[in-house]
């Protein structure tokens, strides 16, 4: 009888301990969810705190559209835009408005409802072209400041770039409205290949001869207009390249120019800096740049690193020849990861 009593007592203690553990885990999960739910466009209290900018800051995306059955790296869609938007919604609640400039015809993504926070436009709403599709991102980026209603200060996103944790607007602009930019911005040189005569006969802007980090890029509309007025013939040349092959270096090489001769980011950043509208970052980081073919090979290994490290930004970069079947697998990988990482579902999603 005594042995049975002791056994029942031990069982009771074990159950109490188990229930206590479950309770503490439940409380921890609830606390985490409550802290996350505080983030998002609809949280007015968050938007009205000291981190709210004194000027509106919009976000602009360029997007090829919702193509699920293509192997074209410039066109294929793996739901990146859906989750990049979620990342902005969760971690940048001070954003004023979002514009998506897509390949024509204009069409809301299948997972999005009409809403007041996001405006979708196509190329024909922003610039006139005889071409149905312009796939040279360098050309497209020369037009985005012309989007009707866009604020003076805006941030340019590619749809494969994500925000990994809560950010202040000061990551992009100073409180006075100067654009933040990498230190390499001022390490400028000529676009001309040394020892060769360029095959273009117009003024070229100085640039850093380096690829801009694949992160969100702050821009100022009026300074962009000044830059394009000063280098009008250069901009028209970039716009004349409707299609982009690979990195786009081929058009530079045939004209005896250094690559990336058509990328706008560093030349425009240096111009803003010259005009006193740019400020160099005091601290720069390296941000995860995960290639889709690598993700396909390594599965969730790199995604688990993102979960542990919570970087400011990260990118899912589309390189290499991938089949439609491969892309379907990647879409599932990205969606499963993103639904967990970006777990606040915005009101504009269906």
């Amino acid at each position: 009888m005594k042995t049975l009593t002791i056994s029942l007592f031990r069982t009771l203690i074990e159950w109490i301990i188990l229930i206590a553990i479950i309770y503490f885990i439940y409380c921890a999960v609830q606390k985490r969810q409550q802290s996350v739910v505080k983030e998002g466009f609809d949280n007015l209290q968050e938007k009205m705190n000291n981190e709210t900018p004194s000027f509106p800051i919009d976000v602009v995306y360029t997007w090829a559209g919702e193509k699920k059955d293509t192997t074209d790296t410039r066109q294929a869609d793996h739901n990146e835009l859906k989750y990049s938007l979620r990342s902005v919604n969760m971690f940048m609640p001070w954003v004023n408005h979002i514009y998506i400039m897509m390949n024509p015809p204009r069409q809301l993504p299948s997972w999005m409802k009409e809403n007041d926070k996001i405006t979708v436009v196509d190329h024909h709403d922003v610039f006139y072209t005889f071409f149905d599709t312009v796939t040279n991102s360098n050309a497209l980026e020369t037009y985005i400041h012309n989007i009707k209603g866009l604020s003076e200060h805006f941030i340019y996103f590619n749809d494969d770039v994500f925000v990994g944790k809560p950010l202040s607007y000061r990551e992009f602009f100073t409180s006075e409205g100067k654009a933040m930019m990498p230190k390499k911005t001022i390490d400028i040189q000529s676009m001309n290949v040394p020892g060769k005569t360029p095959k273009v006969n117009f003024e070229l802007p100085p640039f850093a001869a380096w690829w801009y980090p694949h992160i969100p890029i702050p821009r100022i509309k009026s300074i962009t207009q000044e830059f394009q007025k000063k280098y009008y013939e250069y901009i028209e040349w970039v716009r004349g390249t409707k299609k982009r092959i690979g990195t786009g270096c081929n058009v530079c090489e045939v004209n005896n120019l250094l690559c990336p001769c058509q990328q706008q980011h560093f030349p425009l950043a240096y111009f803003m800096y010259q005009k006193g509208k740019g400020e160099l970052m005091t601290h720069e980081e390296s941000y995860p740049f995960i290639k889709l073919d690598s993700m396909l090979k390594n599965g969730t290994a790199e995604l688990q690193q993102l979960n542990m490290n919570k970087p400011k930004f990260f990118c899912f970069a589309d390189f290499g020849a991938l089949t439609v079947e491969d892309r379907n697998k990647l879409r599932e990988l990205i969606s499963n990861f993103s639904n967990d990482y970006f777990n606040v579902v915005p009101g504009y999603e269906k």
Side-chain angles (χ1 to χ4, degrees), residues 114-293:
E114 289 282 2
N115 64 95
D116 295 332
K117 194 67 194 183
I118 302 173
T119 300
V120 179
V121 299
D122 72 22
H123 299 173
H124 297 302
D125 296 318
V126 183
F127 61 95
Y128 181 75
T129 175
F130 288 110
F131 291 79
D132 286 335
T133 304
V134 177
T135 60
N136 178 15
S137 59
N138 297 310
L140 292 173
E141 289 157 7
T142 67
Y143 291 106
I144 56 179
H145 67 286
N146 291 333
I147 293 174
K148 184 178 180 181
L150 183 67
S151 62
E152 170 74 351
H153 296 82
F154 66 95
I155 305 168
Y156 171 53
F157 269 74
N158 286 127
D159 67 337
D160 57 1
V161 173
F162 304 82
V163 183
K165 62 183 179 182
L167 296 180
S168 164
Y169 77 91
R170 291 186 179 88
E171 294 287 343
F172 307 97
F173 296 99
T174 67
S175 56
E176 296 81 24
K178 294 182 180 181
M180 301 300 298
M181 53 193 61
K183 294 178 182 177
K184 192 170 181 63
T185 298
I186 58 175
D187 295 338
I188 60 163
Q189 59 179 293
S190 169
M191 282 191 190
N192 299 343
V193 173
K196 293 186 177 182
T197 302
K199 295 182 180 180
V200 294
N201 59 357
F202 45 78
E203 183 180 6
L204 295 163
F207 81 142
W210 196 256
W211 299 96
Y212 202 94
H214 214 58
I215 59 176
I217 302 170
R219 288 190 175 182
I220 301 173
K221 186 162 68 172
S222 60
I223 306 301
T224 304
Q225 291 167 340
E226 284 187 46
F227 172 80
Q228 293 193 355
K229 184 176 180 181
K230 178 174 176 59
Y231 298 105
Y232 174 78
E233 291 180 286
Y234 165 71
I235 295 299
E236 289 301 299
W237 173 68
V238 174
R239 289 175 174 174
T241 307
K242 306 294 184 183
K243 310 291 181 181
R244 176 174 144 183
I245 302 172
T247 60
C249 287
N250 59 312
V251 71
C252 305
E253 292 166 359
V254 300
N255 285 286
N256 292 336
L257 300 175
L258 296 174
C259 192
C261 64
Q262 290 197 336
Q263 192 184 65
Q264 300 296 294
H265 310 326
F266 270 126
L268 181 52
Y270 181 67
F271 189 80
M272 288 192 290
Y273 186 80
Q274 281 184 306
K275 294 290 183 177
K277 294 294 185 178
E279 187 161 313
L280 301 180
M281 299 176 185
T282 56
H283 176 68
E284 295 182 46
E285 303 175 19
S286 58
Y287 303 105
F289 186 82
I290 301 175
K291 295 183 178 180
L292 294 189
D293 52 344

Side-chain angles (χ1 to χ4, degrees), residues 6-48:
I6 293 173
S7 177
L8 288 172
F9 181 76
R10 285 178 177 172
T11 301
L12 180 61
I13 294 298
E14 289 172 356
W15 273 104
I16 291 172
I17 292 172
L18 178 61
I19 292 170
I21 291 172
I22 293 173
Y23 176 77
F24 284 122
I25 292 173
Y26 173 81
C27 290
V29 170
Q30 288 294 103
K31 184 177 181 181
R32 179 179 182 274
Q33 288 179 342
Q34 287 171 3
S35 65
V36 171
V37 171
K38 285 182 180 179
E39 294 146 357
F41 288 139
D42 297 329
N43 186 0
L44 296 180
Q45 183 177 355
E46 179 71 18
K47 290 187 69 173
M48 294 177 66

